[in-house]
Amino acid sequence: MTEFIRKITPNTKDDVLAGITVSLAMVPEVVAFAFVAQIDPIVALTGAFIVGIITAVLGGRPGLISGAAGAVAVIFVDMIAKGHAKGLAFDNPIDDMGFMYLFGAVILMGIIQVAAGYFKLGRFVRLIPHPVMLGFVNGLAIVIFLAQLKMFTHKIPNTNPDVLGKFQDIWMHGSELYIMIGLVLLTMAIIYFLPKLTKKLPAALTAIIITSLIVKFGNINVSTVGSYIVEGGGTGLKGSFPMFNSELWQKLPINFDTLFFILPYAFLAACVGLIESLMTMNLVDELTETRGNGNKECVAQGVANVASGLFGGTGGCGMIGQTMININSNGRGRLSGIMMALTLLSFILFADEIIEQVPIAALVGVMFMMVIETFAWSSLRIIRKIPKADAFVLIAVSIITVIFDLAIAVFAGVIISALVFAWENAKRIRARKVFKKDGTKVYEIWGPLFFGSVTAFNEKFDVKNDPEKVEIDFIESRISDHSGIEAIFNLVEKYEKAGKQVKLKHLSEECKELLCKSNTKFNEIIIEAVDDPRYHVVADPEEFA
């Protein structure tokens, strides 16, 4: 226990203050996500507390902040609506059945994430190219910025039949808008200039406190956390300590129909949650010049979501905005995440009236500064200096993140990068042609032979006009996959059908084994050499049986 406490408290003061700052910024964002998913804000805040504290203790990345994230919340919107309809169709109708399906889906989401960690899928985040990472950061910075603009609106009951939802947003105007902008700029100015005067005070937390005091004692009528929650249909932050959700097992039917209904949503939420968490972990790794454990983070996220579902909370994942606030506030250890969760719980249990008086402008100012810190401004400077393909990936991932979501953007970026890599390597296949004294034509192959370069490889040979004896030397080449092996097999068949003798030289032991297993004639075709290379081929030997 002593060793654990020592590990989580390497920088106690900074971690505690950073955790408090993050918890304040967490409230309006989590509440906003709750409104998107049309669930009670207390359910989202409960999920944020449970996910936050478990991942802080068990996670693979100290300093990473997790909570009820919008990327996960939006996935469950459709499921909750359909779940309510299914509940009303029961023999004994249940009007809140959508929420029971939500909790069940969050538990299943967590189980999938634990499985991902167990099978060590977290390591694949290391394969994400740097342009995808830059695009991810820039796209999320834009998304967070656009989300803050909604704070400059008021929610009113929807009377327009052409607009979906219970509420519609109207923009602030006049003196209210100017005061809001002024308070946002004041908050940002404090965060920017305070560290130049002293680093003993946490800039973001100090800015929130000063702005809140100005609004309180100046009797300034502005939008606050409390008014924001009430406008959205909530009743406030007041809640109770999370308890085991026994109602879930009484109402949720445990059968295949339920499983097949929630599985697609749970799987997608698990994927999105892990991608956002692991990408955020990668970003923290770069900023702190340390390395987290992706597989451990997968398991922690999964355990946290299972617990959240069992205790009546919504799903969550790593949150880049809150994580950046934490890192910029010098929060580096596990204590910062633990403090964030405990402070959030204290808001729900004891300090709801105080927190509800915090002006939204102060929190928007903090988020705007975080957006400025998060956006990779260097990408604008280097975009003309990097390869065009990398520049395209960077821009594409940024745009897709804004228009669609993070998971689609990352998958698209990785696929585009992989295709570009395959294309560039496919162009590197070369063949130098020389003749021996006995008239044998030698093809000296250079470059990788794989699925992408097979066509170019075949074009190097002139089977019809080649002499009676041909030798193909792979000393400067590497056969990478099954397609490469198949290309060699087919080429040899072409030469034999033309009545010509072909020999293969400088193949690895695994290449020889695979070819000889496909046809014993290769025992005579392959020339053994003392300097044969050693490498493996991405192929299943059974395919050649």
Side-chain angles (χ1 to χ4, degrees), residues 3-33:
E3 180 67 15
F4 175 74
I5 294 175
R6 185 186 66 79
K7 285 183 177 181
I8 70 169
T9 57
N11 192 17
T12 305
K13 175 194 166 188
D14 286 343
D15 280 349
V16 168
L17 294 176
I20 295 173
T21 305
V22 173
S23 65
L24 289 168
M26 179 79 79
V27 172
E29 189 161 351
V30 170
V31 170
F33 297 154

Side-chain angles (χ1 to χ4, degrees), residues 98-411:
F99 300 134
M100 299 302 109
Y101 284 119
L102 168 65
F103 301 139
V106 171
I107 294 171
L108 182 57
M109 164 190 173
I111 294 171
I112 294 171
Q113 291 176 327
V114 170
Y118 177 79
F119 290 108
K120 302 188 183 303
L121 300 183
R123 61 189 173 184
F124 288 109
V125 73
R126 305 294 176 189
L127 299 177
I128 295 176
H130 190 63
V132 176
M133 191 68 189
L134 289 177
F136 154 78
V137 170
N138 290 351
L140 274 185
I142 296 170
V143 169
I144 294 170
F145 172 78
L146 295 176
Q148 300 315 302
L149 295 182
K150 294 182 180 179
M151 300 299 178
F152 289 84
T153 64
H154 286 298
K155 292 186 181 296
I156 62 172
N158 183 18
T159 57
N160 186 350
D162 297 327
V163 179
L164 298 176
K166 296 180 180 179
F167 300 93
Q168 57 181 323
D169 297 326
I170 60 169
W171 288 94
M172 297 177 181
H173 60 278
S175 60
E176 182 185 24
L177 177 61
Y178 301 139
I179 292 172
M180 177 80 168
I181 294 174
L183 292 173
V184 169
L185 293 176
L186 172 63
T187 304
M188 295 176 70
I190 295 171
I191 295 173
Y192 180 78
F193 289 108
L194 184 60
K196 299 181 183 297
L197 300 176
T198 177
K199 293 188 177 180
K200 294 183 179 180
L201 296 174
L205 182 59
T206 303
I208 293 172
I209 293 173
I210 291 175
T211 306
S212 299
L213 292 175
I214 290 174
V215 170
K216 175 68 176 176
F217 293 104
N219 291 319
I220 302 174
N221 185 20
V222 294
S223 180
T224 64
V225 172
S227 66
Y228 178 77
I229 294 173
V230 172
E231 280 185 7
T235 57
L237 283 178
K238 186 66 176 177
S240 58
F241 192 86
M243 301 296 289
F244 184 76
N245 188 10
S246 58
E247 185 183 25
L248 171 65
W249 309 112
Q250 297 170 4
K251 293 184 176 181
L252 184 68
I254 309 299
N255 52 40
F256 284 110
D257 178 67
T258 297
L259 177 63
F260 293 143
F261 175 61
I262 66 175
L263 181 59
Y265 300 99
F267 180 77
L268 181 58
C271 293
V272 170
L274 288 183
I275 289 173
E276 185 157 357
S277 299
L278 294 174
M279 293 289 279
T280 304
M281 184 192 78
N282 252 9
L283 180 60
V284 176
D285 287 354
E286 290 185 9
L287 293 173
T288 60
E289 297 182 351
T290 56
R291 180 160 180 164
N293 186 322
N295 296 318
K296 190 175 181 181
E297 187 64 35
C298 290
V299 173
Q301 293 288 336
V303 172
N305 280 303
V306 170
S308 182
L310 290 174
F311 283 82
T314 188
C317 64
M319 302 177 72
I320 188 171
Q322 280 62 33
T323 299
M324 287 301 299
I325 293 174
N326 187 48
I327 296 300
N328 292 336
S329 301
N330 295 318
R332 295 291 188 274
R334 296 185 184 278
L335 183 61
S336 61
I338 294 173
M339 194 66 198
M340 180 282 298
L342 293 177
T343 306
L344 197 62
L345 179 63
S346 70
F347 293 164
I348 299 172
L349 299 180
F350 314 115
D352 54 296
E353 293 182 0
I354 297 175
I355 302 306
E356 286 173 3
Q357 296 179 43
V358 174
I360 289 292
L363 303 177
V364 171
V366 172
M367 296 302 287
F368 276 167
M369 288 302 292
M370 183 276 302
V371 167
I372 294 172
E373 293 285 342
T374 301
F375 193 90
W377 299 101
S378 61
S379 63
L380 301 179
R381 186 176 65 253
I382 67 172
I383 198 161
R384 292 185 178 180
K385 302 177 182 178
I386 60 179
K388 291 182 180 179
D390 288 344
F392 175 76
V393 169
L394 193 160
I395 295 171
V397 171
S398 300
I399 294 173
I400 295 172
T401 299
V402 174
I403 297 177
F404 297 102
D405 61 49
L406 169 64
I408 295 175
V410 172
F411 281 130

